[in-house]
Amino acid sequence: MTVPAVLRRAAACGITQAGLVVHFHPGDDPRLFDTVREEIESSVSDFPGQILLGAEIDIMDQAGTTSWSDDLAGMTDYVLLAMGHTQMPWVRPDLSLPPRRFLEAETTGLMAALDRVPATVVAHPYIYGSLHRSMPGLAYSLRPHEIPDSLVSELAAKLVDSGIRFEYHCRDLLIRPWNLGGGQFTASYGIFLDSLRSLGVNFVAGSDAHYLDQIGRSANAPDWAQNFLAART
Ligand SMILES: [Zn+2]
């Protein structure tokens, strides 16, 4: 996953605007982004379109604590605010809550985090791809369509007012939904996304590619979730 290799693969997939994302965890050095920016600038001949550098920020708890640092301001072209990084030891939501209460707490935590981070996109929202390893009972019982309407409306208003997009996640949702609770989860999640769409929330398709052969999978998102970045510029 070197910068030139990623860009050549993206070009081969027919992607016309590529986003390269670097995770930023607590204690990481923001100068990391200067290094990646330099790598991108020396690799522009590997990609015919626009190349954007993004930072992925962890939401660490349900009070809205994040790994964001003000030192990052202006260093990236966009910012992903990531839910569900429960595989990271510093990410500590209250896993003792019953499923519906857990999702409510996740929603208020997300909204608190959105107040603190200049986010562009909410990454893999309500996708808890690792939770089945530590808390399968909770992971397989999450039903996002049960989040109360009042909370969904509040979240949607915040996203719309700030111009923040929801990612349509082309990994667990499409290729390994059984980690999330299978068809019962994806049906519930679809209802939840429909509610947000009806309230005016916009989406962006994300591959969440961590290997070269995963780069093209954002093409599997539905049409309504595609091409946000191209439409914006
Ligand atoms: Zn992530």
Side-chain angles (χ1 to χ4, degrees), residues 139-160:
Y140 300 148
S141 306
L142 298 174
R143 300 290 178 264
H145 80 284
E146 295 177 346
I147 299 169
D149 289 346
S150 57
L151 261 187
V152 175
S153 299
E154 202 182 329
L155 173 61
K158 191 175 279 290
L159 295 169
V160 171

Side-chain angles (χ1 to χ4, degrees), residues 47-133:
F47 188 75
Q50 186 180 15
I51 309 165
L52 300 171
L53 171 60
E56 179 163 341
I57 304 299
D58 304 316
I59 299 178
M60 291 158 58
D61 59 29
Q62 291 163 336
T65 311
T66 76
S67 59
W68 172 256
S69 160
D70 286 336
D71 293 338
L72 292 177
M75 297 190 78
T76 68
D77 303 311
Y78 65 111
V79 174
L80 303 179
L81 185 57
M83 297 180 76
H85 277 175
T86 59
Q87 72 276 25
M88 313 287 185
W90 51 85
V91 172
R92 294 201 179 107
D94 184 352
L95 300 176
S96 71
L97 294 170
R100 198 177 299 199
R101 276 289 305 128
F102 177 83
L103 290 177
E104 288 175 21
E106 286 286 287
T107 305
T108 51
L110 169 61
M111 290 193 288
L114 287 169
D115 286 338
R116 298 173 194 178
V117 177
T120 322
V121 173
V122 183
H124 38 69
Y126 299 88
I127 301 289
Y128 299 90
S130 301
L131 193 57
H132 68 102
R133 292 194 204 112

